[in-house]
Amino acid sequence: MTRVAIIGGGVSGAAAAYFLRAKQNLFPSQLKIDLYESSHRLGGRIFSEYRNSLVLERGAEGLSGRDTSAMELMEDLGLELVRPAALPLGIGCGGQFEVIDPEVLRPSLRGLRHLLGRRLISTRGKLETALRVLTRSFRDKDTHETSLARYLEESWGSEAAQRIFAPVYSGIYGGSADELSSRLAERLQGGRCAGPTKSALFSIATGMSSLVERFVELSGAQVHLESPITKLFRDSDRWLIADAPYDAVALCIPAPQAGALLLSLDQEAAKLLSAIRFTSVITVLLEIEPIDLPEASGCLMQRQNGLRAVSFVSQKWGHSSRSSSFVRGFFSPHRHLEDHDLITLLVNEIEALCGVRPRVISSLVDRWEAANPLLSVGYERIGARISEAVKALPGVFIPAGVYHGAGITDCINGARRSADLMADYLTSFSAVRSDYEHRISA
Ligand SMILES: Cc1cc2nc3c(=O)[nH]c(=O)nc-3n(C[C@H](O)[C@H](O)[C@H](O)COP(=O)(O)OP(=O)(O)OC[C@H]3O[C@@H](n4cnc5c(N)ncnc54)[C@H](O)[C@@H]3O)c2cc1C
């Protein structure tokens, strides 16, 4: 029997189990997959909450449909997709609310016209932006990686960069534009001069958690909940995990935890993984008595109090009922605030946006210490070094989403690639094993 251990029951681990099972016909013997999860539930940063007939997301709310293979996969899994209402996004500033046309995020004449007609930046800022956009084609197209903040300033001028574009990118990737890489501007649209356009987001009608559950169900993996893995041993040609022997193991846990597991096995990989920084976010989900919110899916905030964005959940996902609606605030945890302080800040902001103080029916505060890997300058290079370093450990695989995944689609793609590599390794297991033994004895 071929035995594989998957550590981590989030979407990376669940998808790795699913893709590996899809290759079971390659294995001469039976394939057994064990999935170890430290907490009492599967899903990790995917966490759906079910209330009567409503699905509320406490973690990730959707996937990017820019990669069409993700949507095809959902169909293969038999999951019904839902799209958010076709509403614009707003930017909030000092109680003001301005809708932004996604086209404004491109350095185009149409985007420029839209921006010039808005109160988002001063007249001086608008002149600077106009100059930047209009002279863009005469400037050198510098393709060097730099900080996102610098790239945005060069493209749109400093005021527009700081007040409009940086909040958009921080809202998507976490972290500040000073820390993030300019590669993200390319990554979002597949071209250096592009910015984010219309929402390609979609979600799952039965909740994002059903994606993880479906992967696990179809993988036939045996799930071990409340089973934190704290040690990984090499015992002759197999890995020992929770006293059981495995031919291969996939570490599908956030990079620093993966680094800690590898500390006594591979210093280089452990050091690189442990050095990956993560962004943190606190989410505050409020159930409120219905009020008239701006006609938008949500609002990016230009605030010093840590509030980065507010999602008008009910409007966005069509959840409204006569008795209540939902909004969700995203805070950067730059200073410690108690739950009730965060709730008050969010209520104050909603009041400033709509002129009516919302009455709170219920609230949920979640503190996500490791929301996303911080994709700082050089992150692709570091990712390549990690994947090289891990190759020195026969039978150990780490999906790339763990160290430079910007979301669920990246995690799924990383898991698919790891499952392919794992299947190749397991089918040529004997050859690799003898090579490893030779190196150990040398
Ligand atoms: C608030 C929030 C909103 C987000 N919104 C979106 C969104 O809308 N769209 C999007 O694409 N992405 C979004 N993301 C990011 C997305 O959720 C993550 O990229 C993705 O879920 C990560 O999945 P993962 O399996 O790699 O990691 P995780 O979900 O963190 O799963 C890792 C699992 O491993 C377990 N574990 C850790 N250590 C051990 C151990 N030693 N032994 C056993 N188990 C262990 C953990 O308990 C966890 O369950 C959001 C993230 C947050 C926090």
Side-chain angles (χ1 to χ4, degrees), residues 7-13 36-39 41 43-46 58-63 201 227-229 252-254 257 281 283 328 330 368 371-372 401-402 405-409 411:
I7 303 178
V11 71
S12 294
Y36 292 95
E37 164 56 44
S38 57
S39 75
R41 65 169 184 91
R45 284 169 266 167
I46 291 180
R58 295 174 66 169
E61 64 171 354
L63 293 84
L201 191 76
S227 303
I229 300 304
C252 303
I253 54 183
Q257 279 106 306
V281 67
T283 53
R328 186 154 75 137
F330 295 79
W368 303 93
N372 270 316
V402 158
I408 294 166
T409 312
C411 292

Side-chain angles (χ1 to χ4, degrees), residues 316-381:
K316 188 171 180 183
W317 297 106
H319 279 159
S320 13
S321 76
R322 243 183 260 149
S323 54
S324 67
S325 60
F326 292 86
V327 289
R328 186 154 75 137
F330 295 79
F331 287 87
S332 298
H334 64 305
R335 66 190 162 108
H336 182 76
L337 288 170
E338 299 296 338
D339 288 4
H340 59 84
D341 295 327
L342 293 161
I343 293 166
T344 306
L345 278 175
L346 184 54
V347 166
N348 291 347
E349 289 295 341
I350 296 169
E351 182 179 11
L353 283 173
C354 336
V356 182
R357 192 160 184 83
R359 287 168 63 97
V360 177
I361 300 168
S362 68
S363 59
L364 279 172
V365 177
D366 289 297
R367 292 169 193 268
W368 303 93
E369 297 294 333
N372 270 316
L374 182 72
L375 302 180
S376 49
V377 176
Y379 77 92
E380 289 169 327
R381 203 172 7 91

Side-chain angles (χ1 to χ4, degrees), residues 151-343:
Y151 166 75
L152 294 175
E153 277 193 31
E154 282 170 5
S155 301
W156 286 281
S158 54
E159 195 180 334
Q162 284 162 24
R163 302 192 69 164
I164 303 171
F165 301 103
V168 171
Y169 281 91
S170 293
I172 296 170
Y173 294 107
S176 77
D178 293 319
E179 298 170 300
L180 294 169
S181 160
S182 61
R183 292 272 181 258
L184 299 176
E186 298 163 47
R187 182 175 167 153
L188 215 51
Q189 276 286 292
R192 182 163 173 80
C193 60
T197 58
K198 286 194 178 64
S199 169
L201 191 76
F202 65 88
S203 193
I204 294 166
T206 45
M208 293 298 291
S209 290
S210 47
L211 169 62
V212 176
E213 284 154 15
R214 192 87 182 114
F215 273 141
V216 172
E217 181 195 336
L218 294 175
S219 76
Q222 183 173 352
V223 176
H224 306 262
L225 292 177
E226 299 185 37
S227 303
I229 300 304
T230 51
K231 285 197 172 65
L232 203 60
F233 293 110
R234 184 81 184 166
D235 177 32
S236 68
D237 59 350
R238 291 185 147 196
W239 292 100
L240 271 188
I241 293 158
D243 294 332
Y246 292 97
D247 301 303
V249 48
L251 304 185
C252 303
I253 54 183
Q257 279 106 306
L261 274 182
L262 296 184
L263 204 56
S264 60
L265 298 163
D266 185 321
Q267 293 282 320
E268 167 78 352
K271 212 169 81 192
L272 289 167
L273 285 160
S274 305
I276 302 277
R277 288 162 59 209
F278 271 66
T279 63
S280 308
V281 67
I282 304 174
T283 53
V284 179
L285 182 65
L286 293 185
E287 181 182 13
I288 55 173
E289 287 182 5
I291 53 170
D292 282 336
L293 292 164
E295 274 293 298
S297 60
C299 181
L300 297 163
M301 309 301 291
Q302 301 170 328
R303 290 312 236 178
Q304 301 305 312
N305 61 16
L307 182 59
R308 282 205 320 240
V310 182
S311 172
F312 305 144
V313 177
S314 295
Q315 291 183 174
K316 188 171 180 183
W317 297 106
H319 279 159
S320 13
S321 76
R322 243 183 260 149
S323 54
S324 67
S325 60
F326 292 86
V327 289
R328 186 154 75 137
F330 295 79
F331 287 87
S332 298
H334 64 305
R335 66 190 162 108
H336 182 76
L337 288 170
E338 299 296 338
D339 288 4
H340 59 84
D341 295 327
L342 293 161
I343 293 166

